[in-house]
Amino acid sequence: MATRKTMDAAHACSYEALPINRIEDLVEAVSAVHLEPTQLKPGCLVGTLVHAGLGTANLSSGSFRGEAHVTGPLSITNHTIGLLLETEGANSQWSYETQAGDIGMFPPNAEHVARHGKKTHWVTMALPLEDILEHAESCQLHLPEALGEAPAMYRPAPNTARQAVERFTTALKEMATNRDLLHSSHARDAMLDELIGAALRAYASAGGEAMDARRMFLRCHRITRAAKEYLCAHEHQPVRLSDLARYVGVSERSLQRAFQEVFDVPAGVYLRRWRLSQARRMLAEPIGVDMTVADAGLRYGLWELGRFAAQYRQMFGEYPAQTLRRAKQARFG
């Protein structure tokens, strides 16, 4: 049994389940933790995002269908343990193909680069490093000395991976159906001790063999990140692929290769979908009652309005006018 000190009752305990029905729901849901989601393929992003405050630990879980790319730090101040509970389609962390049972260790403010496939169910637990080390000592686990110095993914032994997935899946179900669990300090601490122990046993069973990001992918990620910075700085100006390549300092062929590696789509396709996504954000947050679909389309260089509407519907499952009408009703009554 873990020797961690019982959490003070004053520590915040909470539970919130947020429905995800479109990409902007996910953007809003993760905005507080500095993550940046990008929709990769047409269709609606549908699922649920759960946040649970467990005293000194914060647990988050996401379960959704739809292909997306997510970058950014998982926690600014704490170490984060991440576990994949279920996957379908191409899932990866950096460029490493991941599967259910894979576990990640992320130090504070470390870059997280994930690609989610057709279906993904994951859970993360952010907590102080001293809690991790105390649990490891109480469980007599020998963790790598370089724990958390750099973000990395690990593939645990099959049995310990399965046990970790089962314990976290059970805990998520119990928290969703029995809210008294979070208000009972004894039960809550016992659950948290068991979850941390299961995660660390899985981590230790991987033998310290990190699934390191490939050098080529890291270079591609730097290229695409610089290109996205340029896009954001010139979002209301016409941007060509040649402009992006010139800014980043690579050839257009290298630019195309980088976007294909990171986002699994050519740079031109990504650029068009990025413009559509920016227009959607504008339509979802109208600045005035007289705003029109044309305003959003023209602002982001989508000048052929009929084609804009067709591509928008293919990408998001509804016409831009529907997005704008719903947003105006919510904001202006």
Side-chain angles (χ1 to χ4, degrees), residues 64-309:
F64 58 83
R65 286 190 173 274
E67 300 193 37
H69 183 268
V70 181
T71 61
L74 293 172
S75 175
I76 301 298
T77 57
N78 286 328
H79 280 67
T80 301
I81 302 172
L83 179 67
L84 277 170
L85 303 177
E86 183 181 1
T87 62
E88 180 183 328
N91 281 265
S92 63
Q93 180 69 242
W94 302 290
S95 64
Y96 190 90
E97 293 185 5
T98 50
Q99 64 184 35
D102 285 354
I103 196 164
M105 282 286 184
F106 305 87
N109 213 29
E111 184 78 0
H112 164 71
V113 184
R115 185 182 188 276
H116 299 297
K118 296 179 181 178
K119 183 179 181 181
T120 308
H121 189 190
W122 48 263
V123 62
T124 62
M125 189 165 48
L127 65 164
L129 178 60
E130 54 266 29
D131 281 14
I132 296 176
L133 297 177
E134 188 173 349
H135 274 79
E137 183 179 356
S138 67
C139 296
Q140 298 182 338
L141 296 174
H142 299 287
L143 303 182
E145 293 182 3
L147 171 67
E149 289 184 1
M153 292 294 294
Y154 301 83
R155 180 150 296 164
N159 285 340
T160 54
R162 184 172 60 254
Q163 291 168 4
V165 168
E166 289 175 352
R167 297 319 296 152
F168 275 91
T169 301
T170 299
L172 289 169
K173 290 180 179 177
E174 288 294 324
M175 283 189 287
T177 57
N178 183 10
R179 299 302 169 82
D180 291 338
L181 169 61
L182 297 180
H183 299 294
S184 168
S185 61
H186 181 69
R188 184 183 66 243
D189 289 355
M191 177 187 70
L192 187 57
D193 281 343
E194 189 171 345
L195 293 180
I196 296 175
L200 291 182
R201 281 191 291 273
Y203 172 58
S205 76
E209 296 180 3
M211 302 174 186
D212 295 324
R214 293 199 302 261
R215 181 178 302 172
M216 175 183 175
F217 181 83
L218 291 177
R219 180 174 181 270
C220 290
H221 176 59
R222 285 193 292 269
I223 290 173
T224 57
R225 182 165 55 183
K228 287 174 64 178
E229 289 173 355
Y230 184 87
L231 278 176
C232 292
H234 300 80
E235 60 178 340
H236 303 313
Q237 301 173 25
V239 176
R240 300 176 179 85
L241 295 183
S242 56
D243 298 327
L244 293 178
R246 191 179 307 110
Y247 174 78
V248 178
V250 298
S251 67
E252 287 191 42
R253 178 177 294 182
S254 295
L255 184 74
Q256 292 281 12
R257 187 184 304 119
F259 273 86
Q260 191 70 52
E261 176 73 18
V262 175
F263 298 112
D264 197 31
V265 294
V269 174
Y270 178 88
L271 182 58
R272 182 172 67 251
R273 291 177 179 172
W274 182 86
R275 287 170 175 159
L276 288 170
S277 296
Q278 297 306 106
R280 183 173 178 84
R281 291 188 185 186
M282 185 175 177
L283 292 169
E285 299 179 2
I287 56 177
V289 293
D290 57 344
M291 181 180 164
T292 66
V293 168
D295 293 335
L298 296 176
R299 187 176 182 86
Y300 290 99
L302 302 163
W303 58 272
E304 194 175 354
L305 298 182
R307 189 180 181 191
F308 163 46

